[in-house]
Amino acid sequence: MNPSSPAPTPAPAVEEILAQARRLREGIPGDIHEHLVESLYADAGRIAERSVSRPERPARPTFDRTLDRIVTSRIWGLPVMLLLFAFMFWLTIAGANIPSQWLANLLVENGHPWLRGLADAAGFPVWLRGLLVDGVYLSTAWVISVMLPPMAIFFPLFTLLEDFGYIPRVAFNLDALFKRAGAHGKQAMSTMMGFGCNAAGVVSTRIIDSPRERLIAILTNNFALCNGRWPTQILIATIFLGSLVPAHLTGLVSAGAVAGVALLGLGCTLLVALLLSRTVLKGQVSTFSLELPPYRPPRLWQTLYTSVLDRTLLVLWRAVVFAAPAGAVIWLVANVRLGDQSVAEVLVAGLDPFGLALGLNGVILLAYVIAIPANEIVIPTILMLTVLVARLAGVGEGAGILVQADSPVLVGEVLRAGGWTVLTAVNLMLFSLLHNPCSTTLYTIYKETGSARWTALAALLPLGMGVALTFAVASGWRLLAG
Amino acid sequence: MTTPPASSPESAACAECDVYRSARLRKLGLQPGPWDYVVALAGNPNTGKSTVFNALTGLRQHTGNWPGKTVARAEGGFEYSGRRFQLVDLPGTYSLLSTSPDEEIARDFILFGRPDVTVVVADATRLERNLNLVLQVLEITERAVVCLNLVDEAKRHGIQVDERQLARDLGVPVIPTSARFGRGLPELLAAVAEMAARRKGGFGYRLSQEPPAIRTALADLTSRIEQAYPGLPNARWIAMRLLGGDERVAEALRRGELSALADRAARGNESALRESALPAR
């Protein structure tokens, strides 16, 4: 560690002490550090022996051992993990629908016209009403009604698993994979954190002590789907993939698709870790000991309380903070005109050829540019821009107003009218997994690595992969479709 | 809660009663200082540090049943018996010897942050391994209290820990707790408050099994350091680190951080100064 300010001139006594330490060190045979650690262990053992009494027969509850034998087994460990997570996604998807519609009904369908009326009554000029009510309020309301219900279900479930003690088992299962990819086994932990929030995941790589492996963990954390991207995945999978099968299978197929994307993210993590550890970040794989804590009965109410208050509301607040200004930006690009077209239309038209080559479209690419501050607002932005560009009649209330997407069915109608196909949906899900991290995460990466170059790599690497993968999928799709 | 039945209403018994003592606790959450005392919370990963932290401060730091959850310091406060305590939750570590960022955060705070009390949370079901960290902390500071957590779980596994024997061996108070269920926390609070108010800490612990060559070298270096920095409370630990070639400690010596510590130790506990000693992160 280097002092940031010039160090004061050391007193002669200091240098003398340091020199003496060096001299003494040379006079001692063997590794001093090791001697000291050995002596420490000996003392700890001696003291523990004097105060701990154990039963003759080890009395570890068989429940723990039986459960561990299944969930950490070589054969069953990973399938059980996948099933468990797929089940959580299914519960989230199936359970979030009704409250989502209820919230949209309250905030968008009734709240928005009411606020418009209020603004009119207060004598707001049209542009101000547009900016505040149609821009800021509506996008915020949309984010709340789409994001709150899935988060309020997913986070408590995840926290219950965590409290129960399952997460270290996940790390245990993944450890061998990470190690084979040349990464640190503890990266499994930071990846798990990344499934909540990549910025938090990047900070949690501090548990990795080797700088090389820590960098790998930081650069690949973005491949863990964060909660800003879960709603996108869940919504698009429900609308486009779920509708391909009979209604009673919708939830199952959508959940499977989302789990598949999450799994693909894990695959990308391992692949990129492997590539990095073979090229720019070569080095030894370090070992560590992972402790499997005993299973503990989760404290239900406390968990619900904490995960709803801390995680859900915190993440929601963050989304709202970013959605509000983004809503204003959306309204502006849709209403500021260049010639006879709005800025948004010009931009979308410019991005369209590239977007279509990727199996996406100009709207999606523009939405990802606008949504750099937070992944949460990608879907609302896409919807608004689609309505604007496709000039859909009867949907929404004018340029730059987020549509009243009160149900997934309507969202589907809007998007299909905007020229979306199953390919667009699949590639959006892929692109949502593989693109640059949000600006918060990038800033965190910059703070943790202290390097603009690694930060740039962290942004460009997934973006490049996303472009390549969506292009490949689109080309293959078109080839097969003839 | 294990509230004993109020069979004897004498006032003397009240002082020993959980309910009475808990009533003296006011959780202050994120309220700003000034603080009378600073308490650090150290321990192995997954021993329940954050649970203890939450129980005392009323905050809801996210807790999880997995090691490595807390990687940065979390801070909160509580008031007990009219004194205001700042509580700092350190990252869970197995040792203070190596140089991973989380271990450095923990060690730097205990060494340079000079907390009035360091509470070491230890897992009763894995005492031997947890003692490695406890002993390292005790080498740095004598102002420590051991919170022997998860005793309920140990009991379920048939493990009994004689906390009095342990306290005698370690030279600091050992309080058995089960923080998840709030058991033992009133006793822990009382011990922390008592340690904070003491002029001198416990009698601390010194490694005793080191090879003779190291022992003489340590004694030599320790006496030199004590001469250069009279009043420095952990000269022996510094000597040990220098002998082991710890660059961070050598650097601290060069930058004069240690002389600042010694000065403060000589002047007694002045919490206000402590803030400035925190290495910026």
Side-chain angles (χ1 to χ4, degrees), chain A residues 431-476:
Chain A
F431 196 73
S432 151
L433 173 71
L434 297 172
H435 70 278
N436 52 291
C438 71
S439 51
T440 313
T441 304
L442 284 175
Y443 177 63
T444 311
I445 293 176
Y446 178 71
K447 270 198 312 194
E448 293 292 316
T449 61
S451 146
R453 272 166 57 204
W454 287 120
T455 311
L457 184 65
L460 295 178
L461 190 74
L463 189 62
M465 287 170 66
V467 168
L469 184 65
T470 48
F471 180 70
V473 170
S475 307

Side-chain angles (χ1 to χ4, degrees), chain A residues 1 14 20 25 35-36 40 43-44 46 50-51 53 55 162-163 165 189 209 291 293-294 296-297 305 310, chain B residues 46 60 62 65-66 94 100 104 132 136 153 158 160 162 169 180 205 208-209 220 229 240 242-243 245:
Chain A
M1 190 186 284
V14 171
Q20 176 70 3
R25 191 156 59 225
H35 282 314
L36 289 173
L40 184 76
D43 273 354
R46 201 168 42 80
R50 284 220 293 242
S51 52
S53 63
E162 193 181 348
D163 210 30
M189 295 293 189
D209 31 14
E291 193 183 342
R296 292 171 183 150
Y305 183 74
D310 283 10
Chain B
N46 211 36
R60 283 176 300 277
H62 181 61
N65 186 5
W66 54 284
Y94 291 107
S100 69
E104 213 171 275
N132 292 330
Q136 289 176 50
E153 216 167 273
Q160 288 269 346
D162 181 352
D169 278 339
R180 261 163 78 88
Y205 189 80
S208 58
Q209 311 282 307
D220 177 346
Y229 303 104
M240 203 166 2
L242 289 180
L243 212 54

Side-chain angles (χ1 to χ4, degrees), chain A residues 285-316:
Chain A
V285 173
S286 39
T287 50
F288 75 109
S289 61
L290 175 71
E291 193 183 342
L292 295 184
Y295 291 106
R296 292 171 183 150
R299 290 156 299 174
L300 191 67
W301 293 114
Q302 191 171 346
T303 302
L304 288 180
Y305 183 74
T306 359
S307 58
V308 167
L309 269 183
D310 283 10
R311 275 188 154 167
T312 310
L313 291 187
L314 202 82
V315 170
L316 191 72

Side-chain angles (χ1 to χ4, degrees), chain A residues 99-100 102-113 115 132-149 316 319-320 323-324 327 377 380 402-406:
Chain A
S100 246
W102 186 79
L103 276 175
N105 194 30
L106 179 79
L107 294 176
V108 181
E109 212 143 277
N110 294 315
H112 179 236
L115 270 179
L132 290 182
V133 179
D134 300 340
V136 174
Y137 171 77
L138 205 53
S139 56
T140 312
W142 212 95
V143 165
I144 291 177
S145 57
V146 168
M147 289 193 55
L148 182 59
L316 191 72
V320 165
I377 55 173
L402 286 165
V403 286
Q404 299 177 1
D406 51 335

